């Protein structure tokens, strides 16, 4: 049976009204819109929107300065227009990428550890985060600037071979959805963001895979100092949160459990920003803005401040999470993968739920798709 995986009800604040290239308000405001790693895409937008709403001149100035200083590493205009889907409405589609590059490692070896397509509806009152499994077996389209392309492989190979632009090409080819903006965050950046908020609370899922079950219930990290996280609510700093959401071998669901925990972290980050006094304390807020800006890379047209003004009405409960519909795990192309379609060259015939989801995103009717495809909590 096709699985959606993950919760439909999640959280993380994203944009009302759109963003440049997508939402009308931002398109009129300046040059761009928002986005970020499978874990805080809208962080800059949220704090900037609060600053705009009355955080004081110092905070507003910091937000503007932050916008000017963002690392604009990605040029989506470099992708030929004829190779891209048309934009059919004023909804906003953001690609949130988390690179697995860590300090001291060769950046050329990095892959997209986390990828979430964030769709904000045209009315600006709902947002949907669709996780794309890194092992999803898909077509990686031709790109003259990529090391390898025009082949089938695991989705995250696109990032390794051709960076963000080949990743965008791959997603747009797979979905037919036009990507408006990119935000990428690396692991070190995520730690700084969480620490700037004073930490987050995550509800730890106990390990359930053979050989990893513990007493008391919890999960022991396979990384670093092998930290043990007891099942249930845990207050975590940035290093701890990052460590926990990277675990996957300890769970029967593997990477799908990991994706769900990353979605939980998005919720926790946004809830922490809203509840810990960060948004009402000028010193904390300016620190958060600065640390967030240092943590991310964006596309050349992204504008944090103008986009943020369109984000300020949305809160964590306005974001619904899901995972790309797939056919489970299996073998294709001589490797273990997440199977997107029985026939990779003709997914329409063997994965109608995914095809209909991407159509719903393109038509800005995701709420209707969810109603028509209720998630079986027993899956």
């Amino acid at each position: 049976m096709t699985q959606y995986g993950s919760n439909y009800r999640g959280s993380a604040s994203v944009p009302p009204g759109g963003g440049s290239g997508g939402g009308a308000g931002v398109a009129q405001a300046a040059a761009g819109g928002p986005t970020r790693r499978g874990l805080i895409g809208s962080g800059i937008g949220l704090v900037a929107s609060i600053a705009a709403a009355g955080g004081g001149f110092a905070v507003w100035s910091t937000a503007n300065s932050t916008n000017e200083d963002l690392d604009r590493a990605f040029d989506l205009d470099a992708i030929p227009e004829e190779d891209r889907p048309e934009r059919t409405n004023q909804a906003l589609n953001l690609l949130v990428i988390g690179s697995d590059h860590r300090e001291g490692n060769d950046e050329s070896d990095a892959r997209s550890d986390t990828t979430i397509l964030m769709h904000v509806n045209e009315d600006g009152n709902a947002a949907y985060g669709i996780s794309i499994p890194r092992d999803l077996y898909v077509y990686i389209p031709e790109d003259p600037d990529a090391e390898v392309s025009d082949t089938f492989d695991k989705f995250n190979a696109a990032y390794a071979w051709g960076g963000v632009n080949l990743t965008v090409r791959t997603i747009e080819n797979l979905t037919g959805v036009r990507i408006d903006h990119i935000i990428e965050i690396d692991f070190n950046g995520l730690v700084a963001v969480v620490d700037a908020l004073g930490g987050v609370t995550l509800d730890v899922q106990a390990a359930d895979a053979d050989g990893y079950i513990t007493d008391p219930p919890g999960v022991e990290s396979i990384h670093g100092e092998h930290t043990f996280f007891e099942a249930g609510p845990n207050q975590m700093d940035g290093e701890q949160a990052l460590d926990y959401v990277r675990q996957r071998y300890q769970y029967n669901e593997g990477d799908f459990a990991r994706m769900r925990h990353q979605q939980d972290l998005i919720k926790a980050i946004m809830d922490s920003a809203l509840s810990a006094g960060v948004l009402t304390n000028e010193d904390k807020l300016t620190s958060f803005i600065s640390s967030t800006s240092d943590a991310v890379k964006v596309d050349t047209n992204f504008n944090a401040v103008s986009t943020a003004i369109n984000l300020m009405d949305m809160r964590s409960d306005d974001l619904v999470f899901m995972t790309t519909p797939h056919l489970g795990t299996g073998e294709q192309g001589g490797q273990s993968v997440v199977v997107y379609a029985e026939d990779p060259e003709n997914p329409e015939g063997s994965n109608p739920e995914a095809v209909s989801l991407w159509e719903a995103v393109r038509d800005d009717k995701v709420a209707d798709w969810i109603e028509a495809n209720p998630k079986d909590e027993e899956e």
Side-chain angles (χ1 to χ4, degrees):
M1 182 196 307
T2 301
Q3 306 167 26
Y4 320 134
S6 206
N7 311 324
Y8 275 155
R9 296 169 184 81
S11 34
S13 302
V14 194
S20 95
V26 176
Q28 296 168 354
T35 246
R36 213 277 12 159
R37 159 179 174 133
L39 298 76
I40 179 155
S42 49
I44 294 177
L46 178 66
V47 293
S49 69
I50 298 301
F57 178 76
V59 176
W60 179 245
S61 297
T62 300
N64 275 289
S65 176
T66 294
N67 184 63
E68 294 173 1
D69 294 340
L70 286 173
D71 184 354
R72 302 180 183 281
F74 314 120
D75 181 12
L76 295 182
D77 293 337
I79 304 175
E81 188 63 30
E82 60 268 23
D83 293 346
R84 307 194 66 194
E86 293 184 8
R87 182 178 293 108
T88 58
N89 51 54
Q90 293 300 306
L92 181 64
N93 297 305
L94 320 169
L95 193 63
V96 172
I97 296 177
S99 166
D100 67 0
H101 168 66
R102 288 180 287 280
E103 194 171 356
N105 290 358
D106 183 354
E107 191 159 353
S108 64
D109 292 334
R111 293 203 173 199
S112 50
D113 186 69
T114 299
T115 306
I116 297 179
L117 196 166
M118 289 280 194
H119 174 78
V120 184
N121 71 354
E122 193 171 54
D123 292 336
N125 57 14
Y128 307 90
I130 306 170
S131 291
I132 302 175
R134 62 184 185 177
D135 292 340
L136 197 69
Y137 192 75
V138 298
Y139 175 66
I140 298 175
E142 184 175 4
D143 184 340
D145 297 322
E147 177 185 347
V148 180
S149 64
D150 190 21
T151 187
F152 285 88
D153 211 301
K154 293 182 179 182
F155 166 73
N156 70 345
Y159 186 94
W161 293 338
V164 165
N165 279 17
L166 183 55
T167 299
V168 170
R169 283 179 182 261
T170 301
I171 290 175
E172 291 187 339
N173 180 80
L174 178 73
T175 67
V177 174
R178 174 81 171 220
I179 301 300
D180 298 310
H181 292 294
I182 303 291
I183 291 185
E184 181 189 81
I185 189 170
D186 65 21
F187 283 145
N188 296 313
L190 176 64
V191 170
V193 169
V194 172
D195 287 343
L197 289 171
V200 295
T201 299
L202 289 172
D203 192 0
V204 170
Q205 177 185 354
D208 57 5
D210 289 345
Y212 292 103
I213 297 173
T214 63
D215 184 15
V219 59
E220 182 178 341
S221 170
I222 63 173
H223 305 125
E225 298 180 359
H226 301 281
T227 301
F228 177 74
F229 301 98
E230 189 168 349
N234 282 242
Q235 178 68 18
M236 300 184 189
D237 62 20
E239 291 283 358
Q240 293 166 332
L242 174 61
D243 192 8
Y244 170 62
V245 303
R246 288 177 60 208
Q247 308 307 314
R248 59 176 176 145
Y249 294 109
Q250 302 92 320
Y251 299 101
N252 286 325
E253 293 178 286
D255 200 45
F256 297 102
R258 189 180 67 92
M259 284 188 287
R260 186 171 59 252
H261 299 159
Q262 291 172 344
Q263 294 169 347
D264 290 342
L265 180 53
I266 297 176
K267 172 186 175 181
I269 287 172
M270 304 319 300
D271 287 346
S272 181
L274 289 167
S275 64
V278 172
L279 304 182
T280 57
N281 181 294
E282 189 167 298
D283 290 339
K284 290 182 179 179
L285 183 54
T286 53
S287 173
F288 182 46
I289 293 173
S290 297
S291 67
T292 301
S293 67
D294 291 341
V296 303
K297 297 178 181 178
V298 300
D299 62 89
T300 54
N301 291 323
F302 176 87
N303 186 294
V305 176
S306 62
T307 297
I309 294 172
N310 291 277
L311 308 188
M312 55 172 99
D313 290 335
M314 293 192 78
R315 295 298 180 261
S316 61
D317 289 340
D318 297 321
L319 175 60
V320 176
F321 282 118
M322 62 191 82
T323 296
T324 300
H326 56 90
L327 304 180
T329 57
E331 185 170 312
Q332 286 184 334
Q335 55 187 329
S336 297
V337 300
V338 175
V339 179
Y340 181 70
E342 293 174 3
D343 179 359
E345 297 186 16
N346 182 31
E348 287 82 358
S350 55
N351 195 346
E353 280 167 315
V355 172
S356 63
L357 172 59
W358 303 133
E359 181 180 6
V361 174
R362 294 193 299 270
D363 294 342
D364 196 25
K365 295 181 178 179
V366 182
D368 294 341
W369 185 91
I370 290 175
E371 185 176 356
N373 295 271
K375 179 180 181 294
D376 183 354
E377 297 298 337
E378 298 303 316
E379 288 182 354

